[in-house]
């Protein structure tokens, strides 16, 4: 049941579709936007439009990028022998903030979750195997989330990579179990990285 009509109701509905925004917050945000300067509202609208028009996924690692390849893949100072496997682009950001990793990344685009119908074929696992064949990678660090799906994905990938001559490690526990990497503080995540163990 719509309480309001027209544009304000449309805005409440759109905001309410965002993750973590309930009906009350959607309403509060919509009325906030109604009151801000037109310039502020336009900046927000333009930022949303720009992210959809200009940001795409890196052809090599599937991180977000404004170019064919992302900033990290293009950075020659990165250690080409080290590869960190994560679920989402936001995990790249979380790990970058720890300053503990100098290699490159591979973003899977999610985790194996039979309940949600996500199998290995829906993730960028084939591309990962191809990269390991093409690039001079000697160590793969599995930094999927410390929850059921993340663990299942890490063990699937580690089994797959077993036949290749590689060091495969998993970031250490000590992260809140069941949580997401992005919610771990930098120190905890950094420590999990340093304490990674061979699998
Ligand atoms: Zn990249």
């Amino acid at each position: 049941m719509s309480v309001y009509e027209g544009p304000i109701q449309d805005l409440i509905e759109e905001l309410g579709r965002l993750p973590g925004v309930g009906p009350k917050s959607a309403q509060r945000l919509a009325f906030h936007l109604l009151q801000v300067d037109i310039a502020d509202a336009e900046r927000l609208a333009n930022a949303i439009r720009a992210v959809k028009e200009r940001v795409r996924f890196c052809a090599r690692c599937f991180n977000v990028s404004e170019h064919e390849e992302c900033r990290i893949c293009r950075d020659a100072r990165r250690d080409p022998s080290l590869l960190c496997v994560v679920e989402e682009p936001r995990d790249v950001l979380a790990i970058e903030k720890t300053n503990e990793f100098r290699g490159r990344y591979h973003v899977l685009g999610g985790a194996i979750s039979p309940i949600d119908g996500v199998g290995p074929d829906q993730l960028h696992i084939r591309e990962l195997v191809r990269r390991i064949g093409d690039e001079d990678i000697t160590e793969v660090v599995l930094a999927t989330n410390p929850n059921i799906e993340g663990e299942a994905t890490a063990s699937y990938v580690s089994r797959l990579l077993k036949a290749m001559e590689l060091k495969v490690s998993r970031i250490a526990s000590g992260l809140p179990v069941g949580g997401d990497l992005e919610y771990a503080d930098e120190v905890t995540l950094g420590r999990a990285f340093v304490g990674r163990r061979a699998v």
Side-chain angles (χ1 to χ4, degrees):
M1 260 285 282
S2 308
V3 180
Y4 305 99
E5 54 186 44
I8 190 75
Q9 183 60 28
D10 293 345
L11 184 57
I12 291 169
E13 275 168 24
E14 289 308 318
L15 291 168
R17 288 165 57 179
L18 298 173
V21 181
K24 274 214 173 114
S25 306
Q27 218 174 82
R28 194 160 37 84
L29 287 168
F31 280 99
H32 168 77
L33 290 170
L34 189 62
Q35 283 175 350
V36 300
D37 285 348
I38 183 78
D40 288 339
E42 265 166 7
R43 231 183 356 260
L44 174 64
N46 288 338
I48 294 171
R49 194 171 299 117
V51 86
K52 294 311 291 179
E53 283 171 1
R54 296 216 307 267
V55 180
R56 48 187 172 159
F57 294 97
C58 171
R60 204 199 308 202
C61 76
F62 302 99
N63 187 15
V64 286
S65 177
E66 275 199 68
H67 301 89
E68 169 81 6
E69 286 197 352
C70 75
R71 187 177 49 80
I72 297 172
C73 284
R74 284 182 287 131
D75 185 350
R77 292 164 303 177
R78 291 280 172 160
D79 183 347
S81 69
L82 265 176
L83 191 70
C84 178
V85 176
V86 296
E87 293 181 22
E88 303 287 352
R90 57 179 189 261
D91 300 327
V92 171
L93 194 71
I95 293 167
E96 283 295 287
K97 279 204 237 155
T98 69
N99 283 317
E100 292 290 352
F101 185 70
R102 300 300 306 151
R104 294 202 172 96
Y105 295 89
H106 189 84
V107 181
L108 294 173
I112 295 172
S113 174
I115 256 176
D116 302 313
V118 182
D121 289 346
Q122 273 86 52
L123 306 173
H124 299 299
I125 291 178
R126 221 172 303 125
E127 292 90 341
L128 170 66
V129 174
R130 196 179 311 138
R131 277 186 77 181
I132 292 166
D134 291 349
E135 298 175 30
D136 293 325
I137 294 161
T138 57
E139 181 179 354
V140 173
V141 185
L142 302 170
T144 49
N145 287 329
N147 54 27
I148 295 169
E149 293 81 13
E151 294 300 341
T153 309
S155 64
Y156 178 88
V157 173
S158 71
R159 273 201 308 276
L160 203 63
L161 301 184
K162 209 142 226 164
M164 306 173 105
E165 278 184 23
L166 273 177
K167 195 170 145 195
V168 181
S169 56
R170 174 85 174 109
I171 52 167
S173 46
L175 293 170
V177 176
D180 281 352
L181 282 193
E182 60 170 330
Y183 298 128
D185 65 274
E186 284 143 49
V187 176
T188 308
L189 186 53
R191 228 180 267 144
F193 239 86
V194 173
R196 62 186 185 258
R197 279 190 304 260
V199 289

